[in-house]
Amino acid sequence: MILHVPHASRELTAEARASILLSDDELAEELDNLTDAHTAEIAARVPGVWEFRNRWSRLVVDPERFPDEREEMLAVGMGAVYTHGFAGRRLRSSDPDRDRKFIDEHFRPYARGVADLVGERLAATGRAVVVDVHSYPAVALPYELHGDGPRPPICVGTDDFHTPAALLTAANTTFPEMSLNSPFAGCYVPLEYYGREKAVEAVMIEIRRDCDPRVVSEQLTAFVAAIS
């Protein structure tokens, strides 16, 4: 059981900060809106799991994006390397060479690290379950492409190939107020396993940011126990 926490940090590398055009106050506003509040705290309270946490902000690179034209968030300047922020504000100039450098130095090693952990769990147990832990605001942010649907306390994101019925049953039992794939859909699977290896199971747990982190930790602990 792997809790994946990709968006909890506010920390930037010096090179990433230098590439961002904003003042410190403007950057703080971006981080306030784009950092997944409480997710590190919530994950840390869940016993008996492996945890993979991103040490850097998603404003360095976003490890959850596709690093190429498959990524739909490119339409709003929020592919693997963001050029625009939560409300469409320009964060960086367009620079494909810089983006490739950030992807090579940050995105690919991160992806390799998750894939290696998943591979180790597969070798040890024959199964790896990635629980992708995120949070989202009660009111949709401008960048959201699919923000018109329900925004319950818990949103469960699924994948047709990697999310078996048992995970959905456990989620329905554990989280009293939840929706499937609204306002966010899908879940993280390392690309080398994506659509190929059924033994890699995955689900995303999106937590509305006005929820009590202690209560959600208890619910997440019960969910992990139910699917272990």
Side-chain angles (χ1 to χ4, degrees):
M1 199 67 55
I2 300 165
L3 296 190
H4 178 227
V5 186
H7 294 157
S9 177
R10 297 173 65 95
E11 296 298 314
L12 299 175
T13 66
E15 189 173 16
R17 178 62 185 99
S19 73
I20 292 174
L21 306 172
L22 307 182
S23 69
D24 288 347
D25 287 344
E26 291 169 331
L27 175 59
E29 183 184 19
E30 293 290 340
L31 292 169
D32 288 345
N33 282 280
L34 290 174
T35 303
D36 282 357
H38 307 305
T39 50
E41 173 188 352
I42 288 166
R45 288 194 174 116
V46 180
V49 297
W50 297 82
E51 183 183 340
F52 199 101
R53 186 187 303 179
N54 189 3
R55 66 175 294 194
W56 301 117
S57 166
R58 67 199 293 185
L59 295 186
V60 179
V61 297
D62 191 333
E64 296 257 323
R65 306 296 198 224
F66 287 111
D68 51 37
E69 67 281 350
R70 288 173 293 177
E71 180 52 60
E72 70 169 351
M73 295 302 292
L74 284 169
V76 291
M78 299 177 78
V81 181
Y82 292 4
T83 57
H84 292 74
F86 77 96
R89 173 166 47 192
R90 171 68 74 167
L91 297 182
R92 295 181 170 100
S93 61
S94 296
D95 186 342
D97 290 337
R98 177 207 59 219
D99 294 353
R100 281 191 292 269
K101 185 174 187 290
F102 282 15
I103 288 170
D104 286 344
E105 292 182 352
H106 298 288
F107 184 96
R108 299 195 193 283
Y110 185 97
R112 180 76 265 150
V114 183
D116 286 349
L117 178 56
V118 168
E120 290 168 9
R121 294 298 85 212
L122 281 175
T125 69
R127 180 186 182 217
V129 183
V130 180
V131 180
D132 204 20
V133 185
H134 293 263
S135 71
Y136 70 97
V139 177
L141 295 175
Y143 81 89
E144 294 182 28
L145 297 180
H146 310 288
D148 295 336
R151 303 179 79 84
I154 300 292
C155 161
V156 176
T158 66
D159 179 86
D160 290 342
F161 187 87
H162 290 283
T163 309
L167 268 62
L168 297 181
T169 298
N172 276 304
T173 301
T174 305
F175 302 111
E177 298 180 76
M178 56 161 276
S179 65
L180 288 180
N181 296 311
S182 176
F184 295 96
C187 46
Y188 181 82
V189 177
L191 288 176
E192 68 185 71
Y193 297 106
Y194 183 66
R196 301 176 184 177
E197 178 54 76
K198 281 280 191 180
V200 177
E201 303 174 12
V203 67
M204 178 172 65
I205 305 298
E206 286 267 4
I207 304 152
R208 203 175 64 202
R209 292 176 187 165
D210 59 353
C211 294
D212 186 331
R214 293 166 297 181
V215 172
V216 178
S217 289
E218 292 171 359
Q219 293 174 336
L220 188 57
T221 297
F223 175 70
V224 166
I227 63 178
S228 296

